[in-house]
Amino acid sequence: MNWEVIQSYLPLYEKAALLTLKIGWLGIAFSIVLGFVCAIIRHYKVPVLHRIVGIYIELFRNTPLLIQLFFLYFGLPKIGISIDAEVCGVLGLTLLGGAYMAESFRSGLESIEPIQTESAMSLGMSRLQTIWHVILPQAISSSVPAFVANIIFLLKETSVFSAISLMDLMFTAKDLIGLYSKTIECLAMLVVFYLLILLPVSIIGSIVEKKLRFAGFGE
Amino acid sequence: MKKIIRKIAAITLAAVVAAALLAGYAFAADDVVYRTVDEIKESGTINIGVFSDKSPFGYVDEYGEYQGYDVYFAQRLAQDLGVEINYISTEAANRIEYLQTGKVDVILANFTVTEERAQEVDFALPYMNVALGIVSHDDRVIRDLSEIGADDRIIVISGTTAETYLVKNYPDILLQKFDTYAAAKSAFENGTGVCWANDNTEVIAFAIENEGYTVGIESLGSADTIAPAVTKGNESLLNWLNDEIKALGEEKFFHADYEATLAETYGLDYEDTLVVEGGVVAAAE
């Protein structure tokens, strides 16, 4: 290990980490919104839309992100749609994450017994009130662990962005190795930077999981 | 709270173990990882690192077979050693790693000889000449690097001499880096970047094979050579390769190689410019 080398690479890694974080968090934020909407459409079987959403989820859950990115970045320009690499990254992550988030959230929705809806409505709540005050809080609570797992998964998926020329952590490391052959330093820094990004997520995630565990009985 | 502290402690421990493993790898790297000629012969197979996406030098054809100038040479090496070839598809950026970890015996992936690389691997005698070249779209042909604007980007492949050259000599020019030849090619065709810097052999081949492109700069940087590379310190294989290249010069092997693999793309005009026979680079005219 050569500490001077590590020091001289630090700014490049910081820049790469910021890009990874920027694309990662934007993609995750959008995928939560998308997943939420899709899950509701699927759960309440909105006519026509729920079939389209079903196809979308199966398509994106069962193809690798790398292929989705290739399609967005190299395929779409062939039919006249040119998208900037960063936007492609966010879009790819959103579409992939949306499909995963939708399934996690749907499992949360489905874990709530129908009797709760029936009870709430028999107490005079409207359908929307039932969803908002009774179903959603519990569904969110029970899908939090899956959400956190998805977030970590999506952040790690950013490591394939090098395929579309985004200088994320992985590509920066590979590129520096190619340029200067300081393999050990580059790989060690890569591990440390990913840990720096992901450890807080996993720690905060487990705290949030505990705080939000109010659905269900017997605790 | 206790649980969280315990968790952090456990994770830190895991990180330390990971770091220790990496450090262990650093020490292990000092061990001998290469195979001598005798060991290769004994095992019956030689591992050769080639490109799989770089027509006409190293590529996989429509039947799934490796083809090209480098591959033609690889086949001859295996034949003369009396062993089978196990092709390993490499990317530009990981050619050195493959040798340093002993995963390949020889790299024959259009590997340009440079001083920096020679510190990491051992190069045998050269078998081809090369310089850098720049290809642009016909509607805006770049004939000099001073034409590159502040917001313009040049496409390069990560780990190539074009990247090193531009990073070192033109640090202000923005580069759009791709990790494979195929990705760079697709992106360039889609209109990413104003031009593409790569080995001149490749940009010339690209402009010949695809319509709408012009090589505005045919030769940039220093005139370099391409040579086989082996793991640093593998004297036995290095000496064998050098003898082999000298012997092949007698029968004009690389001219035959050129005619079999490159002539279709370049025509015969470039034959004497590109081919290095017997490891002897002709003095510049």
Side-chain angles (χ1 to χ4, degrees):
Chain A
M1 290 271 191
N2 182 338
W3 293 105
E4 271 171 35
V5 169
I6 290 183
Q7 255 178 355
S8 66
Y9 290 172
L10 262 182
L12 286 170
Y13 272 81
E14 276 164 20
K15 209 172 140 205
L18 286 178
L19 182 78
T20 299
L21 279 172
K22 181 172 130 198
I23 294 178
W25 286 116
L26 276 175
I28 286 164
F30 289 135
S31 67
I32 289 175
V33 176
L34 180 67
F36 192 76
V37 173
C38 289
I40 297 217
I41 289 174
R42 287 276 277 171
H43 186 68
Y44 291 102
K45 301 220 164 28
V46 179
V48 188
L49 274 184
H50 95 269
R51 295 213 177 278
I52 297 173
V53 169
I55 293 171
Y56 151 69
I57 290 176
E58 291 312 320
L59 184 66
F60 280 86
R61 274 208 326 162
N62 295 306
T63 47
L65 179 60
L66 186 61
I67 290 172
Q68 296 164 14
L69 289 175
F70 263 62
F71 185 82
L72 291 170
Y73 190 72
F74 296 114
L76 288 185
K78 304 275 183 221
I79 53 168
I81 307 167
S82 225
I83 315 177
D84 176 72
E86 282 190 27
V87 180
C88 270
V90 173
L91 194 60
L93 210 58
T94 303
L95 289 171
L96 176 79
Y100 274 87
M101 294 292 186
E103 288 298 276
S104 305
F105 193 63
R106 194 168 66 100
S107 73
L109 282 172
E110 267 161 25
S111 71
I112 295 155
E113 306 273 345
I115 194 167
Q116 295 212 28
T117 311
E118 288 156 16
S119 313
M121 290 179 85
S122 74
L123 286 171
M125 288 176 129
S126 72
R127 180 136 184 126
L128 268 182
Q129 280 176 323
T130 308
I131 294 174
W132 188 252
H133 293 292
V134 179
I135 310 296
L136 280 190
Q138 298 185 71
I140 291 175
S141 157
S142 59
S143 47
V144 162
F147 260 49
V148 173
N150 283 346
I151 289 174
I152 294 175
F153 158 74
L154 289 172
L155 278 173
K156 287 194 288 193
E157 280 293 295
T158 58
S159 59
V160 305
F161 283 166
S162 56
I164 57 168
S165 88
L166 285 173
M167 292 305 283
D168 74 321
L169 281 171
M170 186 67 206
F171 198 14
T172 301
K174 268 167 72 175
D175 191 48
L176 285 171
I177 291 174
L179 276 172
Y180 309 112
S181 299
K182 300 279 180 267
T183 314
I184 310 287
E185 287 82 357
C186 285
L187 290 182
M189 287 175 81
L190 188 62
V191 173
V192 170
F193 268 85
Y194 269 113
L195 282 177
L196 281 178
I197 289 178
L198 285 158
L199 276 184
V201 177
S202 126
I203 292 168
I204 293 170
S206 56
I207 295 173
V208 171
E209 270 170 42
K210 287 202 188 79
K211 294 256 182 226
L212 283 183
R213 195 180 289 160
F214 49 68
F217 303 99
E219 261 192 276
Chain B
M1 202 58 206
K2 251 187 192 167
K3 265 189 182 166
I4 296 167
I5 293 172
R6 213 177 292 160
K7 192 166 187 183
I8 294 175
I11 290 164
T12 317
L13 191 70
V16 171
V17 171
L21 283 175
L22 269 174
Y25 167 72
F27 287 115
D30 293 336
D31 289 343
V32 175
V33 293
Y34 57 76
R35 303 193 299 164
T36 61
V37 173
D38 290 337
E39 283 166 342
I40 292 168
K41 279 183 178 163
E42 214 168 283
S43 79
T45 8
I46 182 165
N47 300 317
I48 300 187
V50 292
F51 281 126
S52 56
D53 57 357
K54 217 174 216 172
S55 167
F57 299 99
Y59 63 101
V60 176
D61 68 10
E62 62 267 43
Y63 306 108
E65 303 283 337
Y66 279 92
Q67 300 290 353
Y69 187 77
D70 293 340
V71 174
Y72 191 93
F73 180 32
Q75 285 167 345
R76 180 60 187 264
L77 289 181
Q79 187 192 324
D80 290 347
L81 274 169
V83 294
E84 302 276 313
I85 308 182
N86 175 27
Y87 289 111
I88 293 175
S89 167
T90 63
E91 285 170 13
N94 60 23
R95 287 175 293 195
I96 291 178
E97 300 310 311
Y98 267 114
L99 287 173
Q100 288 182 334
T101 52
K103 290 190 172 65
V104 304
D105 298 307
V106 187
I107 286 281
L108 284 180
N110 243 253
F111 209 15
T112 306
V113 181
T114 66
E115 259 174 58
E116 291 88 358
R117 286 171 178 171
Q119 287 170 14
E120 310 291 336
V121 301
D122 281 340
F123 284 104
L125 292 170
Y127 61 95
M128 200 169 95
N129 286 312
V130 74
L132 300 177
I134 290 188
V135 59
S136 348
H137 297 268
D138 277 350
D139 51 11
R140 185 182 163 202
V141 178
I142 304 288
R143 300 209 179 270
D144 193 281
L145 283 178
S146 60
E147 292 167 32
I148 305 284
D151 295 327
D152 291 338
R153 281 175 181 271
I154 300 186
I155 291 183
V156 293
I157 301 169
S158 173
T160 57
T161 42
E163 183 193 22
T164 318
Y165 176 80
L166 291 171
V167 167
K168 207 193 255 178
N169 298 296
Y170 296 88
D172 295 331
I173 292 182
L174 295 174
L175 301 178
Q176 185 84 27
K177 299 177 182 181
F178 288 90
D179 55 359
T180 63
Y181 181 82
K185 181 172 179 270
S186 300
F188 183 55
E189 285 170 352
N190 287 340
T192 307
V194 290
C195 57
W196 179 14
N198 209 347
D199 288 356
N200 59 359
T201 46
E202 285 164 26
V203 294
I204 291 167
F206 176 82
I208 291 172
E209 285 167 358
N210 301 278
E211 264 190 40
Y213 304 97
T214 306
V215 178
I217 304 178
E218 276 212 4
S219 187
L220 182 71
S222 56
D224 291 319
T225 55
I226 280 174
V230 300
T231 311
K232 192 110 201 132
N234 193 351
E235 297 270 326
S236 128
L237 188 55
L238 187 69
N239 292 337
W240 185 86
L241 278 170
N242 285 339
D243 292 342
E244 173 81 357
I245 289 169
K246 279 179 207 156
L248 290 175
E250 316 255 311
E251 56 173 277
K252 299 267 171 211
F253 172 83
F254 289 105
H255 283 83
D257 187 351
Y258 180 97
E259 281 151 30
T261 58
L262 300 185
E264 200 184 320
T265 306
Y266 297 104
L268 295 174
D269 293 348
Y270 287 97
E271 184 161 349
D272 287 323
T273 332
L274 288 182
V275 170
V276 173
E277 200 70 78
V280 186
V281 182
E285 288 163 33

